[in-house]
Amino acid sequence: MNSISTRVRTKRTEASLGAEREHFDKKQLSSISKAINTTETPVKEKHARRIILGTHREKGAFTFWSYALGFPLASSSILSWKFCHVLHKVLRDGHRNVLQDCMRHHSSIVEIGRLWANLHDRYGQLVSLYTKLLCTKMEFHTKYSDIPPNLEVSDEVLERAAGTDINNVFQLTVEVFDYMDTELRLAETVLRQLNTSIAISTLTSGQCRLSPLIQVVQDCSHLYHFTVKLLFKLHACLPADTLQGHRDRFHDQFHSLKTFFNRARDMMYFKRLIQIPKLPDSPPNFLHAASLAKHVKPVVVIPEDDEPEQPDDDDDDPEPLIDVSSASASMVEAQPQQVDIFDQAFGPPNGGFDDRDLQIESLKRDLELLRAELERVKAEAQRYITQLKSQINSLEAELEEQRAQKQRALVENEQLRMELEAVRRRNSEHESLEATFFEAEKRSQATEQRYNKLKEKHTELVASHAELLRRSADTVKMLSATQQTQEEVERTKQQLTFEIDRIKQESDMKLEEQKFEMEKLRRELEEKMAEIMRIKSTLQTSEKTTEQVNSSMTALQAEKERLMRSMSEKEAELSSLRQSAQLQQTSLQQEREKSSRELGELQGKLQDKTSQEEQLKQKLLAEQFALLQGTVTEAENIIQDAVAKIDDPLHIRCTSSPDYLISRAEAALGSVDKVKRGHADYLSNMGDAGSLVRALTQFSHLAADTIVNGSATAHMAPTDHADRLTENCRGCATESLQFLKDLKSKISLQRADPASVRVIIQRILHLGQELRPKGMDVRQDELGDLVEKEMASTSAAIEEAVRRIDEMMNQARKDTSGIKLEVNERILNSCTDLMKAIRMLIIASTDLQKEIVDGGKGAATIQEFYAKNSRWTEGLISAAKAVGWGATEMVESADKVVLHTGKYEELIVCSHEIAASTAQLVAASKVKADRSSKRLTVLQQASRRVNEMAANVVASTRTGQENLEEKDTMDFSGMSLIRLKKEEMESQVKVLELESHLENERVRLGELRKKHYELAGVPLEQVSEGNGDSFSLPHSANMSPKHTKPAIMRKPNLAQKPNLPPKSLYK
């Protein structure tokens, strides 16, 4: 009895544990599916908390990964983003064994990141960065197991993880830097997308992106503290120069982290969820060890959520926060006594324990599990449907975005062109600055030359001053000599005065002594008076000399004063010149210093300009390569679209002609050559991708046209040709896409070669030439020679016809006479004029054809031009043959008419045939002629001349026929009324017979023409085909420039009943 009760108790305990496990799995599935979904809303904290408590309960993340692996992460970027967020929370706050469970799925996380990195999706870019962050986090904490994923460790644990080896400390610092870079890169990208999408933190779309940044803020605060501690430790052991790179990297991360914290602190979303610490204004000074004491560890505070959780509709039961297994076990242990007492008193139910109850319970549980599984499958199917719809919407949005990006690329291309023009203008300004620098150098040289001249002038002034001093000494000497001369003159004057006084005294004495001897001494007195006069004159002369000496002394004194003044002026000028020279030397020195400074500034600006130009050149190269990539991508889309049309069911009904396919293939071959030249030009100058871009654009469209028209031509071709043509079209697309793929990578850009594309297009061209209808058994390369031969043979036939007509004229003059000779001469003369007009037409047509060939062949030969326009060439050949044959037939008919063995109607018909053939030749020549060509005007005049001559032949033939026919005189005088009535009826019967015969002949003529058209290979409903410029319908009057037939080619009116005058009863 006790064993039975023990077994029942054990089974019920197992059932209770199974129910608890089932309840736990159900709650975990519910929380995971509600936390990770495609709705653009942030992950609710209660769901993430239940998932984290689940990891602590089962001591790992097995249940989380078992459900997470079932999510279609590759189909929705929002789903992948929320998965990464939940995984980040689980790694930080989950059980310590979560890290090992997550490392088992490391490759799956990497694959998800690679997938979304290659897709153009906003959330996809974030998912790529988040997966890199998670992988870096798992690898770091796996390597350094002492540091938990939430990074909450003491400084002693960090010291123990770093160790004592400085190399390990250095490596740990680098890995912490990498760890911080991934965190900051994710944060910067999220904030940049918020600015781009103009989202605010109060919207669910913005909160969905911002919610993972809470964990990023928590990680970054600890990583910042680790970095500061490790860098101070490194600076204590290593020289500062070795750690310069570490300091620069830390400064960049410090400014980025500070910017991130400041921006996040200003957002309303974070204010109620997290308290973000403030970083210092400047980074720590690692070169000063005492700065470590000033470092304060940033602490992130998560405020307690006082608001009660709002339970979901299908989640009313709260998650148990404690392990209830022990309580359940104690309850189970407390219950056995009651069960046993009950069993002892009343016995087991139904006489014993029934195993079927357990089976029923297990089946019920299985049924419930299956129903839950069914509901989950339905929900998952609905979720897949929703995801596909959202993916469709996202793809449409991406398409619009691509179009907008294309427009932006065009705008950026225009901006780059404007920037290039600005660079060129700056280069011109730089050249002007160089010219200014050269002018400054020239001014400096000129200043130096002026300084040298001033120095020479100063030397000359010093020499002049010395010369003036010498001249002044000479002047002083001259002045002293003049003074001596003046003193001598004074002495002479005094002597003369003394002598005069003496002579007066002597005269007075002699006058007193010889007073009485006046008469005797009178003559002596006169002599004495004369002598006195002479002495007076001498005295006057001496006085004049004295005056002259005085004036000379005065002039010399003035000259001396003037020289003294000049000397003082020169000395003042010399001093001023010395001062001016000193000032000039000072200003020259200052100008030299200024020039040297300007030269240094110009050299610095030149270096800046050179570096800017180099940067712009690199930017231009990058932009040109990006433009090339965009063009290549667009070309790939065009060719892929053309390939898709091959298998499109709607394209099966499309057809094309071989001629059009050949024209497209030849154009494609030309574009391949342009692409090759553009590729070579781009490799030689990678700053200009214009020629390659234009060539690729033309090549993609022409290659796509060749593929599409090749497929359309294959729909009308025989099976073998159709298969080969379709296969070559696909091969053309494959080789073109491979060539474009080589152009997309810089590694394979050098070896990209369109030779394989050329080979495939040449095969398509060859197949198109094989499928062309063979109107003549002549090879294409012989068409040009055949045209010339036919035109030459036609000219020869015309000349032969003229010669034979001359012979017939001479023979008719010998054999006939009178009216017959006159008629024959008139007919033969008109035939001769017609032949001459035809010969002029042939010459004009030949000249026009030469002009057409010279204007349209380009670099090709004449044979290649005729081969390219084969249908038009065949029309020319047919028209030329028709003209030659008509001339020969006309000569034969004229010979028969002259010899009276033929009919005049044959000659008239031949005239009509020649007119029609020449009209065909004119129309065939006019198809490709220039409307303003003078030779075309000459050809049209020759055509009108031929029509006039043909009308003359018809007129002369009919006139001759009327003159030669013998008309019976209609004499009805002897007939009675009954006889006349009978004759009238017989005439009407004959008229009706002739009309019936005429109608039958017209029908026969129509059938003959129809058969002629069939043999010529032209459908009745059209007279031209191909590109619209071929002409191959012979003998058709509709090919004349006018829509109405010439007068000579119209059908004659039906014979009407003759209008006879009434018979006179009285004749």
Side-chain angles (χ1 to χ4, degrees):
M1 191 71 176
N2 292 331
S3 63
I4 294 174
S5 62
T6 303
R7 186 171 65 249
V8 172
R9 187 165 56 248
T10 303
K11 289 183 178 181
R12 290 184 179 180
T13 303
E14 292 176 355
S16 177
L17 292 175
E20 290 178 4
R21 181 63 186 179
E22 179 183 354
H23 180 73
F24 171 75
D25 292 341
K26 182 178 179 181
K27 289 298 182 180
Q28 286 292 301
L29 174 61
S30 176
S31 299
I32 292 172
S33 60
K34 290 176 182 178
I36 305 174
N37 51 42
T38 58
T39 307
E40 195 173 3
T41 55
V43 177
K44 289 187 177 180
E45 188 65 28
K46 63 178 181 179
H47 299 148
R49 185 166 59 249
R50 289 175 183 174
I51 296 171
I52 293 169
L53 290 173
T55 61
H56 285 283
R57 179 172 179 176
E58 67 173 357
K59 297 179 177 54
F62 176 78
T63 303
F64 171 76
W65 279 106
S66 63
Y67 290 125
L69 292 176
F71 286 117
L73 300 178
S75 62
S76 175
S77 56
I78 298 176
L79 187 69
S80 301
W81 173 250
K82 299 178 82 170
F83 165 75
C84 293
H85 184 195
V86 174
L87 181 59
H88 196 175
K89 280 178 168 289
V90 170
L91 281 172
R92 278 188 55 83
D93 303 328
H95 194 268
R96 61 177 179 273
N97 295 331
V98 169
L99 179 62
Q100 299 176 1
D101 295 336
C102 292
M103 280 302 294
R104 298 189 185 97
H105 304 281
H106 181 273
S107 59
S108 301
I109 299 174
V110 173
E111 287 297 326
I112 293 171
R114 289 177 181 173
L115 171 66
W116 288 109
N118 296 325
L119 299 177
H120 299 287
D121 185 86
R122 291 185 177 272
Y123 273 103
Q125 298 176 3
L126 297 178
V127 170
S128 175
L129 295 175
Y130 212 160
T131 53
K132 291 180 181 177
L133 168 60
L134 294 175
C135 293
T136 304
K137 188 178 186 68
M138 290 188 293
E139 293 168 359
F140 178 84
H141 294 290
T142 302
K143 183 175 182 180
Y144 301 99
S145 57
D146 294 339
I147 303 175
N150 59 5
L151 299 170
E152 295 179 357
V153 294
S154 60
D155 295 342
E156 292 77 9
V157 176
L158 180 63
E159 291 286 341
R160 187 169 61 253
T164 57
D165 189 357
I166 196 63
N167 295 322
N168 295 336
V169 178
F170 192 93
Q171 181 64 28
L172 177 59
T173 307
V174 172
E175 293 181 0
V176 172
F177 276 142
D178 296 339
Y179 198 167
M180 177 75 85
D181 282 337
T182 57
E183 301 272 0
L184 292 176
R185 196 176 300 117
L186 175 62
E188 290 172 357
T189 307
V190 170
L191 295 178
R192 185 171 63 252
Q193 285 197 5
L194 283 176
N195 292 337
T196 303
S197 61
I198 320 179
I200 56 178
S201 60
T202 57
L203 298 178
T204 57
S205 59
Q207 293 176 0
C208 184
R209 290 184 174 90
L210 289 173
S211 57
L213 297 188
I214 297 175
Q215 285 70 44
V216 174
V217 170
Q218 292 175 326
D219 289 346
C220 289
S221 62
H222 293 290
L223 291 174
Y224 171 75
H225 178 66
F226 292 170
T227 308
V228 172
K229 288 289 186 180
L230 292 173
L231 282 177
F232 272 114
K233 186 173 183 179
L234 285 175
H235 279 80
C237 301
L238 295 176
D241 295 338
T242 307
L243 300 174
Q244 181 63 41
H246 279 54
R247 289 197 299 275
D248 295 340
R249 191 172 181 184
F250 175 79
H251 290 167
D252 294 339
Q253 289 186 355
F254 175 80
H255 293 300
S256 299
L257 183 61
K258 186 175 181 181
T259 303
F260 166 48
F261 278 6
N262 292 336
R263 291 185 62 184
R265 196 181 300 110
D266 295 336
M267 291 186 177
M268 294 296 298
Y269 177 71
F270 293 110
K271 288 184 178 181
R272 64 182 181 83
L273 297 177
I274 187 173
Q275 293 181 6
I276 301 174
K278 290 186 178 180
L279 296 181
D281 295 333
S282 60
N285 185 9
F286 299 108
L287 301 178
H288 192 253
S291 298
L292 179 60
K294 301 179 182 179
H295 169 66
V296 178
K297 179 180 179 181
V299 178
V300 177
V301 179
I302 303 294
E304 295 294 334
D305 192 3
D306 298 332
E307 297 180 1
E309 295 182 1
Q310 297 295 330
D312 298 334
D313 297 338
D314 57 346
D315 190 16
D316 296 332
D317 298 332
E319 180 73 19
L321 300 181
I322 59 174
D323 191 1
V324 298
S325 59
S326 59
S328 300
S330 61
M331 291 174 63
V332 171
E333 289 176 357
Q335 289 177 1
Q337 295 179 359
Q338 299 177 3
V339 174
D340 293 340
I341 295 172
F342 181 84
D343 291 341
Q344 290 175 1
F346 299 97
N350 297 330
F353 185 82
D354 195 353
D355 293 335
R356 287 178 295 179
D357 294 337
L358 296 177
Q359 293 179 0
I360 291 171
E361 292 296 329
S362 64
L363 290 174
K364 286 181 179 180
R365 286 195 299 272
D366 293 339
L367 183 60
E368 292 297 329
L369 289 175
L370 290 175
R371 286 178 180 173
E373 183 69 19
L374 179 60
E375 292 297 329
R376 189 181 66 81
V377 170
K378 288 181 179 179
E380 188 175 359
Q382 187 65 30
R383 189 168 63 253
Y384 284 158
I385 293 171
T386 306
Q387 289 174 1
L388 290 175
K389 289 181 180 179
S390 63
Q391 190 173 3
I392 290 171
N393 295 330
S394 64
L395 288 175
E396 291 177 351
E398 185 177 354
L399 178 61
E400 292 298 327
E401 185 178 357
Q402 289 292 332
R403 291 175 180 171
Q405 287 180 358
K406 182 179 178 182
Q407 293 296 328
R408 287 197 297 272
L410 294 176
V411 173
E412 289 176 357
N413 188 18
E414 189 64 28
Q415 291 177 354
L416 284 175
R417 291 181 181 175
M418 295 173 64
E419 289 179 0
L420 182 60
E421 292 296 328
V423 170
R424 291 175 178 172
R425 288 196 297 271
R426 286 196 290 271
N427 288 336
S428 63
E429 292 175 359
H430 174 63
E431 292 175 356
S432 65
L433 287 175
E434 286 184 348
T436 306
F437 171 69
F438 290 142
E439 289 177 0
E441 275 192 345
K442 290 181 180 178
R443 287 199 301 270
S444 176
Q445 293 176 359
T447 306
E448 270 191 358
Q449 291 177 359
R450 286 199 300 271
Y451 173 75
N452 293 330
K453 288 181 180 179
L454 288 173
K455 192 173 182 181
E456 293 174 358
K457 187 69 175 177
H458 178 260
T459 306
E460 290 176 359
L461 288 174
V462 170
S464 176
H465 179 62
E467 182 66 24
L468 287 173
L469 289 176
R470 286 193 297 272
R471 288 175 62 184
S472 177
D474 295 336
T475 304
V476 170
K477 290 179 181 179
M478 289 175 63
L479 183 62
S480 60
T482 304
Q483 289 178 352
Q484 291 177 1
T485 305
Q486 189 176 6
E487 290 175 356
E488 289 177 358
V489 170
E490 288 290 335
R491 285 193 300 269
T492 304
K493 184 177 178 181
Q494 290 176 1
Q495 289 176 2
L496 289 173
T497 304
F498 178 75
E499 187 176 357
I500 290 171
D501 292 337
R502 187 178 57 78
I503 291 170
K504 283 182 178 180
Q505 291 176 1
E506 288 177 357
S507 297
D508 290 335
M509 290 174 66
K510 287 178 178 180
L511 183 59
E512 290 176 356
E513 291 173 353
Q514 297 177 1
K515 191 178 272 182
F516 300 108
E517 294 178 358
M518 288 299 291
E519 292 295 336
K520 184 178 178 182
L521 295 175
R522 185 177 290 174
R523 291 190 291 275
E524 292 180 2
L525 180 61
E526 290 178 357
E527 292 177 359
K528 291 292 182 180
M529 287 300 291
E531 187 177 358
I532 290 170
M533 291 300 293
R534 288 196 297 271
I535 292 170
K536 284 183 178 180
S537 61
T538 304
L539 181 62
Q540 290 177 355
T541 305
S542 298
E543 289 177 353
K544 290 180 179 179
T545 304
T546 303
E547 290 176 358
Q548 289 179 357
V549 170
N550 290 330
S551 64
S552 176
M553 286 295 293
T554 305
L556 288 173
Q557 188 69 24
E559 180 70 18
K560 179 181 177 182
E561 292 176 356
R562 187 182 65 79
L563 289 174
M564 291 298 290
R565 287 195 302 271
S566 176
M567 185 175 65
S568 61
E569 290 176 357
K570 291 294 183 181
E571 287 179 353
E573 184 178 0
L574 180 60
S575 62
S576 64
L577 285 175
R578 284 177 180 174
Q579 294 176 358
S580 176
Q582 290 178 356
L583 291 175
Q584 288 288 341
Q585 188 173 5
T586 305
S587 63
L588 181 60
Q589 186 67 23
Q590 293 176 355
E591 190 171 357
R592 279 184 178 177
E593 293 176 356
K594 183 179 179 181
S595 299
S596 62
R597 287 196 302 271
E598 290 180 354
L599 179 60
E601 292 176 358
L602 288 174
Q603 288 178 350
K605 290 181 179 180
L606 179 61
Q607 292 178 357
D608 294 340
K609 292 287 184 183
T610 306
S611 62
Q612 290 179 2
E613 184 178 358
E614 188 66 26
Q615 292 176 359
L616 289 174
K617 189 179 294 182
Q618 295 296 329
K619 184 178 180 182
L620 177 62
L621 291 177
E623 293 294 338
Q624 290 292 320
F625 187 71
L627 177 62
L628 176 62
Q629 300 308 301
T631 305
V632 170
T633 304
E634 191 66 24
E636 287 179 345
N637 294 334
I638 292 172
I639 293 177
Q640 289 172 356
D641 181 64
V643 175
K645 287 182 180 179
I646 296 177
D647 299 327
D648 192 354
L650 298 177
H651 184 64
I652 296 176
R653 291 180 291 178
C654 298
T655 59
S656 179
S657 64
D659 290 332
Y660 189 68
L661 175 60
I662 290 171
S663 66
R664 294 292 86 194
E666 290 174 349
L669 286 176
S671 67
V672 170
D673 296 335
K674 291 181 180 179
V675 167
K676 191 170 184 180
R677 289 195 297 271
H679 181 248
D681 295 341
Y682 179 68
L683 290 180
S684 61
N685 181 17
M686 301 191 76
D688 182 13
S691 59
L692 181 56
V693 167
R694 291 190 294 271
L696 282 176
T697 304
Q698 183 184 17
F699 165 72
S700 61
H701 286 88
L702 291 176
D705 285 349
T706 303
I707 293 169
V708 173
N709 287 284
S711 175
T713 305
H715 295 158
M716 300 294 292
T719 304
D720 185 22
H721 286 79
D723 293 340
R724 288 162 56 195
L725 190 57
T726 304
E727 182 181 355
N728 284 317
C729 288
R730 295 183 187 276
C732 177
T734 302
E735 295 296 334
S736 300
L737 291 174
Q738 181 61 37
F739 172 65
L740 294 175
K741 183 179 178 182
D742 292 340
L743 290 179
K744 290 181 72 175
S745 174
K746 290 186 178 180
I747 300 174
S748 59
L749 182 63
Q750 299 285 342
R751 66 170 185 272
D753 189 9
S756 58
V757 181
R758 168 185 284 278
V759 173
I760 295 295
I761 296 177
Q762 286 176 348
R763 293 177 186 172
I764 295 174
L765 177 63
H766 181 66
L767 288 173
Q769 292 173 350
E770 289 182 356
L771 291 173
R772 292 180 64 179
K774 302 300 186 295
M776 299 175 61
D777 295 332
V778 180
R779 291 184 303 176
Q780 297 295 335
D781 54 355
E782 297 178 358
L783 283 175
D785 298 335
L786 188 59
V787 171
E788 296 178 357
K789 290 179 182 178
E790 287 298 332
M791 297 301 288
S793 62
T794 302
S795 300
I798 298 299
E799 294 176 357
E800 179 65 21
V802 172
R803 187 186 62 79
R804 286 190 62 187
I805 289 173
D806 292 338
E807 291 179 357
M808 285 189 288
M809 179 73 74
N810 296 330
Q811 188 66 31
R813 289 172 181 171
K814 293 178 181 179
D815 297 341
T816 59
S817 61
I819 296 176
K820 291 184 178 180
L821 179 59
E822 183 180 355
V823 169
N824 292 336
E825 285 182 349
R826 189 183 298 117
I827 293 173
L828 292 177
N829 286 332
S830 62
C831 292
T832 303
D833 293 338
L834 178 59
M835 292 302 164
K836 291 180 180 178
I838 293 173
R839 183 169 61 184
M840 296 304 295
L841 178 68
I842 294 297
I843 294 172
S845 177
T846 304
D847 294 339
L848 182 59
Q849 289 171 24
K850 290 181 180 178
E851 182 180 357
I852 292 171
V853 172
D854 293 338
K857 71 177 183 177
T861 61
I862 297 176
Q863 286 75 15
E864 292 176 352
F865 177 80
Y866 281 121
K868 182 178 180 181
N869 302 274
S870 59
R871 308 295 284 177
W872 175 73
T873 306
E874 291 175 1
L876 284 177
I877 294 171
S878 175
K881 282 186 176 181
V883 171
W885 176 80
T888 304
E889 288 297 319
M890 186 173 186
V891 171
E892 295 295 334
S893 300
D895 191 11
K896 291 180 181 179
V897 168
V898 171
L899 296 177
H900 304 288
T901 57
K903 298 179 180 180
Y904 289 97
E905 286 78 6
E906 294 179 358
L907 193 59
I908 293 173
V909 171
C910 287
S911 299
H912 290 171
E913 273 309 310
I914 288 177
S917 300
T918 54
Q920 177 189 352
L921 182 61
V922 171
S925 301
K926 186 180 177 182
V927 167
K928 286 187 173 293
D930 188 6
R931 298 299 178 187
S932 61
S933 175
K934 294 182 179 179
R935 294 184 179 179
L936 177 60
T937 305
V938 173
L939 179 63
Q940 291 175 345
Q941 293 176 356
S943 174
R944 288 192 289 270
R945 177 67 177 170
V946 169
N947 290 334
E948 293 174 0
M949 292 301 102
N952 290 337
V953 170
V954 173
S956 60
T957 302
R958 288 180 176 173
T959 302
Q961 184 179 10
E962 292 175 357
N963 290 335
L964 293 178
E965 285 182 350
E966 295 179 359
K967 295 183 178 179
D968 295 335
T969 303
M970 295 183 182
D971 186 10
F972 305 114
S973 59
M975 293 184 181
S976 63
L977 183 62
I978 301 300
R979 182 64 179 172
L980 286 173
K981 190 65 175 177
K982 184 177 180 181
E983 288 292 334
E984 183 180 353
M985 291 177 64
E986 290 178 356
S987 179
Q988 287 181 356
V989 170
K990 196 169 183 179
V991 167
L992 291 175
E993 289 178 353
L994 290 175
E995 287 179 351
S996 176
H997 186 64
L998 176 62
E999 189 66 29
N1000 293 333
E1001 286 298 325
R1002 283 178 176 170
V1003 172
R1004 183 170 180 272
L1005 177 61
E1007 294 296 329
L1008 288 172
R1009 285 180 176 174
K1010 186 184 296 185
K1011 189 65 177 177
H1012 185 194
Y1013 296 157
E1014 291 178 359
L1015 292 176
V1018 181
L1020 292 177
E1021 62 272 9
Q1022 64 182 14
V1023 295
S1024 64
E1025 64 182 17
N1027 294 332
D1029 56 357
S1030 59
F1031 195 95
S1032 59
L1033 179 61
H1035 312 296
S1036 175
N1038 292 332
M1039 294 183 183
S1040 63
K1042 297 181 180 180
H1043 294 291
T1044 58
K1045 295 183 179 180
I1048 62 172
M1049 298 179 65
R1050 296 175 185 165
K1051 296 179 182 178
N1053 296 327
L1054 296 177
Q1056 302 294 327
K1057 183 176 180 180
N1059 231 347
L1060 299 178
K1063 184 177 180 183
S1064 177
L1065 297 177
Y1066 306 98
K1067 186 176 179 181

